[in-house]
Amino acid sequence: MVQSAVVRVVDESIKPLGFQRRGHSWYRITSDLYSVINVQKSRWSESCYINIGFSPSGQVENLWLPESRCQVRFRLDSLKRITREGLLLLEGGTDQEVKLRASLVEKIGNPLAQFVVGVTNLDDLRGALNSDVTGNVFIHGEIRPLLASPD
């Protein structure tokens, strides 16, 4: 239930930015960069994760590359567990559901959209990695020289 609510929020926030949806993932190819966002349910709780991946666009075959195969990958912070009451609200059409969705958009959708809208090429990705992303980023050795800061 949490995953489907997060998927709806991400879908509404990301699709206007030119992302195409494939299951619980969204992808976009710009000039020289492929971007993918994936919503993954936790195995251990009601929470889920948002995974983000980037690769040079030349490595993408048939317009699709899963996040797990991207050369730069990281996970946004774990989404906090939503209470049982919150889960029930997501099923109804009440004012409380509207408030909960608005909260998800504010806490997840908008920050995610603000981050990815500004990353359309390798230079943008280099800047994002230096400023907006924590140290828990996997960067494949093949792409490291392309992302190195010019001295």
Side-chain angles (χ1 to χ4, degrees):
M1 290 183 179
V2 173
Q3 184 182 25
S4 62
V6 172
V7 165
R8 285 193 307 266
V9 165
V10 171
D11 194 54
E12 292 170 9
S13 302
I14 297 302
K15 275 191 136 181
L17 304 176
F19 282 80
Q20 301 296 314
R21 184 171 172 186
R22 183 173 177 164
H24 292 165
S25 296
W26 296 261
Y27 62 94
R28 173 177 76 177
I29 297 178
T30 55
S31 59
D32 62 346
L33 191 66
Y34 172 82
S35 310
V36 64
I37 299 163
N38 172 263
V39 176
Q40 175 188 357
K41 185 183 180 323
S42 171
R43 292 186 216 175
W44 299 280
S45 71
E46 293 287 337
S47 66
C48 57
Y49 307 97
I50 296 179
N51 303 308
I52 300 178
F54 297 98
S55 276
S57 59
Q59 296 182 339
V60 179
E61 297 176 13
N62 300 321
L63 301 176
W64 172 249
L65 184 67
E67 174 270 333
S68 61
R69 292 189 44 220
C70 286
Q71 291 194 348
V72 176
R73 303 189 306 267
F74 56 93
R75 176 176 281 172
L76 294 184
D77 290 335
S78 172
L79 305 177
K80 300 300 180 196
R81 185 177 186 167
I82 296 179
T83 65
R84 180 74 183 141
E85 293 78 17
L87 291 173
L88 293 173
L89 289 175
L90 290 172
E91 294 178 346
T94 65
D95 288 341
Q96 291 176 320
E97 178 194 27
V98 171
K99 288 179 185 174
L100 182 58
R101 279 191 74 165
S103 174
L104 289 175
V105 168
E106 180 184 330
K107 294 177 181 174
I108 300 165
N110 291 343
L112 178 62
Q114 288 171 355
F115 176 78
V116 297
V117 74
V119 182
T120 60
N121 58 48
L122 289 172
D123 286 336
D124 295 341
L125 180 57
R126 180 184 307 118
L129 292 174
N130 288 333
S131 62
D132 293 337
V133 180
T134 68
N136 297 326
V137 178
F138 169 81
I139 302 175
H140 192 279
E142 185 178 309
I143 198 171
R144 282 185 187 275
L146 298 174
L147 296 173
S149 296
D151 293 313

